[in-house]
Amino acid sequence: MDLDQRSRSFNNEGAEQSRIRATENTSRADGLEYEDLLMHIYCGVHQVPPWNSFLQSLQRALDVSTATLVLRQPSDCDGGVMVSVGTNEDCETRYRKSDYKDDPFLGIPTGYLFTLNDVIAPENLQKTAYYNGLLNDARVRIDQMLAIDIDVPVFGVAKLRMSRRRGMPEFSLAEKSLFVRMIPHLEEALGHYARNTVMKIESSVYSRALNQLLMGVMILDQKDEIICCNEIAETIVTQSPLIEMSEGQIHIEDSSKRSAWNNAIRDARAAFRVGSQEDIGALRLSRTEQHKAHVIQLLVRPFSLPNYDFSTADIGLAVFISDGAMRHILSRDVIRQLFGLTRAESMLVLKLCDGLAVGQAAFALNISTNTARSQLRSVYEKTGAHRLSELIGLIFNSTANLG
């Protein structure tokens, strides 16, 4: 059946949906069962794998052989994202690789319930590769399916499928009604899952970038207690004699600087509360021990904390921490690709960014000073820099820090 024929066959789904919904009042006796399904729908947002317990609950409630949620449709270069219960591993692998192309439910309107008979006649189904390769498999023997496609922000379309093996009773109107009543809840839960996933991706990308930049970050609540911190912040606090985490708060070891720190966070909050642009606090800590200098720089930036009664405006703080002793890890490959350098030229640039003079860099690379100077002239031409300080600044301000 081509898409035009399939589209025409979908024109009558409204009457069927109305008939299913008309049975809702007569199927309320399954209240506890329905409530259990709803609980698993919303709990499934945070499960790994997502909605596994919901599919198991659905399998029990509707006495189905298999239940599958497709969060991302397979394609030629991607096996998709699927969560299944009751399925055969070989058949699932085959569906991911090829059988998805012949899925009879492809292109169904979103938000409606469909059966196999709604989309293809039984005699036509038995002629398809999908039926003979998957549904008629001796380990499966499926002849009944229910399907719903649901629009999900960012993700596209999620697909929920349930099936019964040959010889099992047909899905009743009450069972279909139970399925239909879940649709708006699934839409809501899938939307939450998509938004949470996007936020996790953003958080992971930003956290990795800050780690690459050797920038520590701590988030403080309205009581100055640490909510969370990234890996670099933990490393700095653990290794530095100037600062520590004590009783869930940032503790400045130097008593003469402690009041300056308290003033910085107090003034930042006060300025933010009145909408001032001067709402940033900064503090530099330093100490020399056994001829070794320790330097920590702190930057405080306030932000509004989520609140739910709107009676107060709680203000949190993002505290950025850098340690002058930590060395940036520059990517030789990124430098080479950004500026069109050769491998040898990019290696020389790395040594110069480490603070070595040209002669020292040449010695470290086991090349002559004249060769190093020749390579440096080539680097200047390719980057547009005219002196070493300009070149180093160009490199450190590039994305080579993130490689």
Side-chain angles (χ1 to χ4, degrees):
M1 181 185 294
D2 60 31
L3 287 179
D4 288 338
Q5 291 175 312
R6 184 173 293 176
S7 297
R8 287 195 293 273
S9 73
F10 293 151
N11 289 337
N12 296 321
E13 92 277 334
E16 176 67 8
Q17 301 299 319
S18 298
R19 189 163 66 91
I20 292 171
R21 288 190 172 92
T23 68
E24 289 187 14
N25 291 332
T26 63
S27 61
R28 295 294 179 175
D30 63 351
L32 292 177
E33 190 175 72
Y34 180 62
E35 293 297 328
D36 180 67
L37 286 170
L38 291 189
M39 180 188 71
H40 287 294
I41 284 175
Y42 290 106
C43 289
V45 173
H46 304 291
Q47 288 179 343
V48 179
W51 289 290
N52 188 62
S53 66
F54 163 66
L55 294 177
Q56 292 175 342
S57 180
L58 199 59
Q59 189 181 30
R60 292 190 299 270
L62 293 182
D63 191 24
V64 296
S65 304
T66 67
T68 300
L69 181 62
V70 180
L71 294 173
R72 188 173 70 244
Q73 178 71 11
S75 64
D76 288 339
C77 56
D78 179 14
V81 177
M82 299 167 54
V83 184
S84 300
V85 296
T87 56
N88 177 278
E89 185 175 345
D90 292 339
C91 292
E92 184 177 329
T93 300
R94 194 167 63 218
Y95 179 85
R96 288 176 182 270
K97 290 183 176 179
S98 60
D99 287 347
Y100 70 88
K101 299 175 183 177
D102 301 315
D103 190 330
F105 293 106
L106 287 178
I108 61 175
T110 57
Y112 291 96
L113 174 67
F114 289 90
T115 67
L116 271 175
N117 289 341
D118 291 331
V119 298
I120 187 171
E123 60 272 18
N124 293 330
L125 174 66
Q126 293 172 11
K127 299 175 184 177
T128 65
Y130 186 82
Y131 176 83
N132 291 295
L134 185 65
L135 301 186
N136 201 37
D137 187 289
R139 295 164 296 180
V140 179
R141 299 290 189 184
I142 288 173
D143 63 0
Q144 292 187 68
M145 291 185 73
L146 293 180
I148 289 178
D149 283 6
I150 297 174
D151 280 316
V152 184
V154 181
F155 275 30
V157 177
K159 304 169 184 291
L160 181 59
R161 306 287 186 261
M162 294 189 304
S163 67
R164 280 179 175 168
R165 292 192 172 93
R166 196 168 300 168
M168 297 181 70
E170 293 187 0
F171 288 105
S172 67
L173 281 177
E175 289 170 329
K176 293 177 182 179
S177 171
L178 184 66
F179 206 36
V180 168
R181 284 157 54 198
M182 292 187 299
I183 294 176
H185 298 282
L186 278 170
E187 290 175 338
E188 186 69 20
L190 284 162
H192 285 302
Y193 179 79
R195 288 187 289 272
N196 286 347
T197 300
V198 169
M199 286 191 291
K200 287 178 182 178
I201 292 171
E202 288 181 343
S203 177
S204 176
V205 169
Y206 297 151
S207 178
R208 182 178 177 184
L210 287 169
N211 284 335
Q212 287 290 116
L213 293 171
L214 302 183
M215 181 62 67
V217 182
M218 292 185 176
I219 305 299
L220 312 185
D221 64 13
Q222 70 276 12
K223 297 180 180 179
D224 297 334
E225 294 183 353
I226 300 169
I227 299 174
C228 60
C229 64
N230 69 349
E231 180 182 341
I232 295 298
E234 290 183 350
T235 300
I236 292 174
V237 170
T238 300
Q239 297 179 353
S240 175
L242 303 174
I243 187 173
E244 69 174 7
M245 285 186 281
S246 177
E247 297 180 350
Q249 294 190 334
I250 295 174
H251 180 75
I252 307 299
E253 293 290 346
D254 187 342
S255 58
S256 65
K257 293 286 188 178
R258 210 168 293 153
S259 59
W261 166 250
N262 292 331
N263 291 338
I265 61 177
R266 182 199 62 204
D267 294 345
R269 278 202 177 95
F272 183 77
R273 189 171 286 112
V274 298
S276 171
Q277 297 298 313
E278 304 295 328
D279 59 3
I280 297 176
L283 183 67
R284 184 176 185 273
L285 308 174
S286 63
R287 180 191 298 175
T288 300
E289 291 182 343
Q290 298 179 346
H291 306 291
K292 181 180 180 181
H294 299 274
V295 179
I296 296 291
Q297 295 178 349
L298 302 171
L299 176 69
V300 179
R301 185 178 291 275
F303 63 93
S304 294
L305 285 168
N307 64 78
Y308 306 100
D309 59 7
F310 302 102
S311 60
T312 59
D314 291 335
I315 300 173
L317 296 174
V319 180
F320 298 90
I321 310 173
S322 69
D323 185 343
M326 298 185 77
R327 308 294 295 177
H328 285 274
I329 303 174
L330 299 171
S331 169
R332 183 194 65 202
D333 290 335
V334 174
I335 292 173
R336 180 175 54 81
Q337 293 177 45
L338 281 177
F339 301 104
L341 307 182
T342 66
R343 182 176 181 274
E345 290 168 350
S346 62
M347 291 178 66
L348 174 65
V349 168
L350 285 178
K351 295 298 182 183
L352 297 175
C353 287
D354 280 341
L356 299 183
V358 175
Q360 293 171 319
F363 181 80
L365 295 171
N366 197 28
I367 59 177
S368 70
T369 302
N370 286 338
T371 299
R373 286 174 177 159
S374 176
Q375 290 175 352
L376 184 57
R377 284 194 296 270
S378 176
V379 170
Y380 284 158
E381 287 182 14
K382 293 177 179 179
T383 61
H386 297 90
R387 58 183 65 88
L388 186 56
S389 59
E390 187 178 349
L391 173 65
I392 293 174
L394 186 66
I395 298 299
F396 277 110
N397 287 323
S398 74
T399 52
N401 289 300
L402 302 175

